[in-house]
Amino acid sequence: MTPVTCPTCSRRRPPGTSPRPRSCAGCGRRTPDRPRSTSESAARAGLAVSTASHHLSTLRAGGLVQSRRSGAPVLHARTALGDALVTANR
């Protein structure tokens, strides 16, 4: 089997593993620091919008993400604590 390449971060993964971004540890660390809508976050993570919304609510409750409404969509961005957690594992 040949290694799989993640379509989001181009990280090479072991043969037989899923190329989906939600299963790739490199994706979270390489995501640009711009705010994203719930739908965009869900698509990038390979999740249903309802699942991404639940995860974002949990991250917001933990102080890792902040959310703000921008017209119709709600935009989510990492907080300083979220950034520190992401960069701590590099």
Side-chain angles (χ1 to χ4, degrees):
M1 290 179 140
T2 59
V4 177
T5 301
C6 175
T8 302
C9 71
S10 301
R11 185 177 185 197
R12 306 230 357 137
R13 299 178 33 75
T17 57
S18 171
R20 294 185 68 169
R22 71 176 175 189
S23 63
C24 181
C27 291
R29 291 194 298 265
R30 297 174 191 210
T31 301
D33 294 334
R34 70 175 183 82
R36 299 188 186 281
S37 69
T38 305
S39 298
E40 187 178 12
S41 297
R44 288 183 59 82
L47 299 170
V49 174
S50 59
T51 303
S53 178
H54 177 75
H55 285 260
L56 288 162
S57 294
T58 302
L59 292 168
R60 186 172 45 255
L64 301 174
V65 170
Q66 61 185 2
S67 303
R68 66 177 170 83
R69 184 164 296 279
S70 176
V74 175
L75 299 179
H76 310 279
R78 286 193 307 246
T79 62
L81 179 60
D83 283 337
L85 182 64
V86 169
T87 58
N89 291 326
R90 286 189 180 170

